[in-house]
Amino acid sequence: MTEQIKNSHYGSEQIKVLKGLEPVRLRPGMYIGDTSSRGLHKLVDEVVDNSIDEALAGVCDTIVITLDLDGSISVTDNGRGIPVGINEELGKSTLEIIMTHLHAGGKFGGEDSAYKYSGGLHGVGVSVVNALSEWLVAEVYLDGNIYRQRFAKGIPLSEVEIVGQTDKNGTTISFKPDKTIFDEIIFDPQILSRRCRELAFLNKGLRIVFLDKLHEKEEDFCYEGGIASFVEFLNVKKTPLHEEIIYFTAEKDDVIVEVAIQYTDDYSEISYSFVNNINTAEGGTHLTGFRTALTRTINDYARKTGFLKENDTNLTGDDVREGLTSIISLKMREPQFEGQTKGRLGNAEVRSIVDSSCGENLDIFFEENPSTAKIIIDKALAASRAREAARKARELTRRKSALEIGTLPGKLADCSKKDAEGTEIYIVEGDSAGGTAKQSRNREFQAILPLRGKIINVEKHSEDKILNNAEIKSMIKAFGTGYGDMFELDKARYERIVIMTDADVDGAHIRTLLLTFFYRYMRPLIEEGRVFVAQPPLYKIEERREKADKWLKYAWSDSELENYKNEFEEAKKTYTIQRYKGLGEMDAQQLKETTMHPDSRVLIRLNLKDAEEADRIFETLMGEEVEPRRAFIEEHAKEVTDLDV
């Protein structure tokens, strides 16, 4: 190593200056996060953000997003149109400068800026899209003319040209991402549709149309209720505790604060925060200000009205947010985000602005609506009582130290390996199947935990009742991670958790109950790819006659079964078919070779692509309300691919 350093040369010829958009193509992750599906869809966001900025400026009321037949995207707005005149400083068309220069745009002029409120404050959005596209066409409708300029990988292919006349104003940006940059060039219509809906909610009265030409589908989004309609949408399959959505807007120090909230009979919270239409998924000072105001105002009102006595402790933030669905949306100048991906707001002054604005408006609402205030306080008091009961229950479920290992669940057949790396625990349906699994496992790294019957539905019960469920307590003790806000992934006793249930309706139900529990109380397990579903075969097909080397095959699908049947028939062999409905129908050797041995088993790794959609589906399928569940089943009945009859 010393010799290598001694002989290395470092001179001026090693210094490379990247020009134009070269840095973007060299390090795309710095600008769009990554080059996976997330980064691909970020390109659309960057273009749409420019059109939204026109809407925020009050000069655009319609945006059309088109997924074309060739997989490209077009975004059209009826705003002012990107300027096309010659920039005196650079001697080029303003359109070309915006498309080919980082940090070029109409958002840096302070009070003289073309945009008072804007999400794309770095001025790199559309130029980054240009740099990372196989081709891009910018078309501007301005002064009665249609102006067009074409680009390839960020490089202009032509000057700005007049290609026709028009009586409209606006801009169309069409592009196809570069396949040499991205892992896969396939836009997900559901992701695009959800973003269109979200933006329509956040911009009251703005019409956003999504044209999916690939699937011949058109969606038209426009909400006069704004974020109040957003809350209504999120709660459509829930049971609200008060009919009226609490909505208010306030402006202070050039910051517009808009809030909509409604409580449901749920035990979980759904909160989304936005700044200039940017989803701040990691929260920030605005969300902190809102939560502080909510907790303080509810406690103050509860004491003033006698719901909280002198010696009672205050309600906590968790208490007052149980069952809360809330949207907080800010419009402000110069927001300070963490990087171009804008995950968290950092402006320190915003916390006090939001705190005071929300506190004042919530106080007024409670005074004018005492019946609704009472409902909210009763909900928080019930949460407080359940929290105290849960606190006591938690003491029974804390992860035991090595000295206390004897307190692990008695029915757990642990593995011999002491460290978590490479180990796995099978959650098995029933004691009978659990016994077979114990005979089938590799004792060194595979543990078995049988569950008796169906665990409690965590979507319908409070935390104290959940923690008193014997099967859930067994899992928490076995996993070693804790749960909820006490969850610690690095304390996991196993690297993988494998759910192994029967291949029938009851097995699917148990699997769904387990996944609901993991999603609500151990979500990092799913987020980190630690949860798997075992896939026992559906069929066994074997040669009918008795002999040592008779043909034996297992099929995991109907199509695979048909292939094996053809194979047997071509070989002129008679056969029998067994449909497995339960793990207990297999002996230990069969279970081992089909479902548990790493070299021959089939496992499905679970992931969490969209928390919002997953939350809504869990609520629909596992919540109290029957009608939304029935409607969901009726709507998606034809999509079922595995129906146990």
Side-chain angles (χ1 to χ4, degrees):
M1 173 64 88
T2 305
E3 187 66 24
Q4 180 181 357
I5 295 175
K6 180 178 179 181
N7 292 336
S8 64
H9 175 68
Y10 178 56
S12 57
E13 65 273 15
Q14 270 74 47
I15 303 300
K16 182 178 181 181
V17 179
L18 299 177
K19 301 176 182 179
L21 298 178
E22 288 180 354
V24 182
R25 293 187 61 81
L26 185 64
R27 300 283 188 270
M30 292 179 60
Y31 299 88
I32 58 170
D34 55 46
T35 55
S36 67
S37 175
R38 178 186 174 188
L40 181 71
H41 289 84
K42 179 68 175 171
L43 298 184
V44 184
D45 288 342
E46 292 291 351
V47 178
V48 173
D49 281 350
N50 286 347
S51 296
I52 292 292
D53 289 340
E54 289 286 282
L56 291 176
V59 293
C60 168
D61 62 15
T62 302
I63 299 171
V64 179
I65 300 166
T66 303
L67 175 56
D68 223 322
L69 295 175
D70 63 352
S72 65
I73 292 284
S74 295
V75 179
T76 300
D77 65 58
N78 63 347
R80 291 168 290 192
I82 298 175
V84 295
I86 300 299
N87 179 279
E88 294 182 1
E89 181 180 352
L90 299 179
K92 297 180 180 179
S93 163
T94 304
L95 173 62
E96 181 175 329
I97 293 171
I98 289 173
M99 301 304 300
T100 59
H101 287 64
L102 296 174
H103 310 293
K107 305 168 185 177
F108 304 106
E111 293 295 330
D112 297 327
S113 169
Y115 301 98
K116 183 176 182 180
Y117 304 116
S118 170
L121 294 181
H122 302 295
V124 302
V126 73
S127 56
V128 165
V129 176
N130 194 16
L132 301 179
S133 294
E134 178 184 328
W135 58 260
L136 182 146
V137 177
E139 203 165 79
V140 177
Y141 318 112
L142 185 65
D143 300 329
N145 294 321
I146 301 175
Y147 299 89
R148 182 182 297 159
Q149 188 169 21
R150 299 179 180 275
F151 304 85
K153 300 179 180 180
I155 299 172
L157 298 180
S158 65
E159 302 290 335
V160 178
E161 302 171 324
I162 297 178
V163 295
Q165 279 69 49
T166 182
D167 58 358
K168 63 181 182 180
N169 278 10
T171 302
T172 295
I173 301 294
S174 304
F175 68 95
K176 187 170 186 178
D178 188 349
K179 58 180 176 293
T180 66
I181 297 290
F182 293 92
D183 302 338
E184 191 175 41
I185 311 297
I186 300 177
F187 287 105
D188 186 335
Q190 290 188 335
I191 293 176
L192 298 175
S193 175
R194 283 197 294 270
R195 181 57 175 159
C196 289
R197 180 189 293 112
E198 181 180 84
L199 289 170
F201 280 132
L202 293 169
N203 297 273
K204 187 184 301 185
L206 174 64
R207 180 182 178 225
I208 301 181
V209 180
F210 175 48
L211 295 176
D212 180 1
K213 291 186 177 180
L214 279 174
H215 303 91
E216 298 182 343
K217 186 177 180 181
E218 178 177 342
E219 295 178 282
D220 200 322
F221 304 102
C222 185
Y223 302 98
E224 294 299 334
I227 62 171
S229 297
F230 201 168
V231 169
E232 183 180 5
F233 171 78
L234 293 173
N235 287 345
V236 70
K237 295 175 182 177
K238 301 178 184 293
T239 303
L241 296 180
H242 52 96
E243 184 175 347
E244 180 184 1
I245 294 174
I246 303 172
Y247 170 83
F248 56 84
T249 183
E251 183 170 1
K252 185 176 181 181
D253 296 339
D254 229 10
V255 176
I256 298 175
V257 181
E258 191 178 10
V259 174
I261 64 177
Q262 186 181 46
Y263 282 84
T264 71
D265 63 356
D266 266 19
Y267 297 103
S268 55
E269 173 196 5
I270 299 177
S271 290
Y272 296 101
S273 60
F274 301 86
V275 177
N276 296 356
N277 294 302
I278 302 299
N279 187 338
T280 46
E282 299 171 27
T285 52
H286 56 326
L287 186 60
T288 301
F290 164 70
R291 288 178 167 175
T292 300
L294 181 69
T295 305
R296 183 186 65 251
T297 305
I298 289 177
N299 274 300
D300 289 349
Y301 187 83
R303 290 203 178 277
K304 183 169 62 175
T305 52
F307 288 101
L308 284 177
K309 307 302 181 184
E310 183 177 350
N311 294 327
D312 291 340
T313 58
N314 272 350
L315 298 165
T316 68
D318 288 338
D319 295 334
V320 303
R321 295 197 302 274
E322 183 177 287
L324 172 69
T325 300
S326 66
I327 304 291
I328 174 170
S329 178
L330 259 64
K331 302 291 192 299
M332 62 179 294
R333 293 180 181 272
E334 305 297 336
Q336 298 170 10
F337 296 106
E338 291 186 357
Q340 174 67 5
T341 53
K342 309 176 180 73
R344 181 180 179 85
L345 182 68
N347 299 65
E349 73 281 2
V350 166
R351 176 173 177 171
S352 61
I353 292 174
V354 175
D355 186 334
S356 61
S357 299
C358 292
E360 292 169 6
N361 282 277
L362 285 170
D363 191 49
I364 292 171
F365 180 88
F366 290 158
E367 291 291 343
E368 295 178 350
N369 300 271
S371 59
T372 301
K374 180 181 183 303
I375 291 172
I376 293 172
I377 292 172
D378 284 343
K379 172 73 171 174
L381 288 171
S384 179
R385 291 189 291 269
R387 176 174 54 83
E388 179 59 23
R391 184 190 65 78
K392 295 176 182 178
R394 286 180 184 183
E395 299 302 320
L396 302 176
T397 60
R398 290 187 182 275
R399 182 178 188 272
K400 305 301 181 181
S401 67
L403 296 176
E404 300 171 304
I405 199 68
T407 61
L408 288 169
K411 55 188 175 181
L412 170 69
D414 208 357
C415 57
S416 59
K417 199 169 187 289
K418 298 304 180 183
D419 61 294
E421 185 178 359
T423 62
E424 52 196 34
I425 180 170
Y426 274 76
I427 309 300
V428 184
E429 173 188 351
D431 291 335
S432 175
T436 306
K438 290 175 184 178
Q439 299 175 49
S440 307
R441 68 182 175 131
N442 184 315
R443 294 173 181 268
E444 180 185 357
F445 65 90
Q446 289 179 323
I448 306 296
L449 180 64
L451 295 183
R452 181 174 299 172
K454 297 173 181 177
I455 69 168
I456 192 172
N457 181 357
V458 301
E459 199 70 22
K460 295 183 179 181
H461 296 88
S462 58
E463 187 177 347
D464 58 316
K465 292 183 180 179
I466 293 167
L467 292 177
N468 280 319
N469 179 264
E471 306 306 307
I472 285 182
K473 284 196 290 188
S474 293
M475 284 190 289
I476 293 174
K477 287 180 180 180
F479 296 169
T481 57
Y483 71 98
D485 57 6
M486 298 189 306
F487 186 91
E488 297 179 76
L489 187 63
D490 60 351
K491 291 186 177 180
R493 299 185 65 250
Y494 307 98
E495 187 175 49
R496 290 179 293 275
I497 295 171
V498 184
I499 300 172
M500 187 164 68
T501 60
D502 291 345
D504 59 9
V505 171
D506 280 342
H509 190 195
I510 292 171
R511 187 164 62 246
T512 304
L513 289 168
L514 288 169
L515 292 179
T516 305
F517 169 61
F518 293 156
Y519 177 80
R520 290 295 185 212
Y521 292 94
M522 297 181 170
R523 192 178 301 190
L525 286 176
I526 300 177
E527 292 173 335
E528 296 298 321
R530 298 286 196 96
V531 180
F532 297 78
V533 173
Q535 294 292 288
L538 295 178
Y539 303 98
K540 179 178 73 172
I541 179 170
E542 63 179 335
E543 192 176 353
R544 181 168 289 170
R545 58 182 176 170
E546 294 293 333
K547 63 176 187 176
D549 59 343
K550 65 179 179 180
W551 285 22
L552 173 64
K553 303 286 186 181
Y554 297 98
W556 276 261
S557 66
D558 289 337
S559 61
E560 193 173 8
L561 175 65
E562 288 301 317
N563 290 337
Y564 285 139
K565 287 169 62 178
N566 293 336
E567 187 177 324
F568 272 72
E569 290 166 1
E570 288 174 3
K572 301 186 183 307
K573 297 183 179 292
T574 58
Y575 57 86
T576 59
I577 298 174
Q578 180 181 356
R579 166 68 161 94
Y580 289 126
K581 287 197 173 184
L583 298 170
E585 296 180 26
M586 284 186 275
D587 60 32
Q589 182 59 32
Q590 291 172 342
L591 185 63
K592 177 180 180 179
E593 64 187 32
T594 63
T595 316
M596 297 189 68
H597 196 288
D599 292 340
S600 55
R601 69 187 178 185
V602 177
L603 294 181
I604 296 177
R605 185 198 297 267
L606 301 177
N607 56 58
L608 198 63
K609 290 185 177 179
D610 190 324
E612 177 185 340
E613 189 65 18
D615 180 86
R616 293 181 62 231
I617 291 176
F618 272 128
E619 170 62 24
T620 301
L621 297 180
M622 308 305 294
E624 293 280 3
E625 294 299 303
V626 176
E627 285 305 319
R629 182 157 51 250
R630 180 183 292 118
F632 181 91
I633 292 171
E634 290 175 351
E635 179 183 352
H636 297 282
K638 294 182 179 180
E639 301 170 18
V640 174
T641 57
D642 185 13
L643 180 64
D644 184 77
V645 294

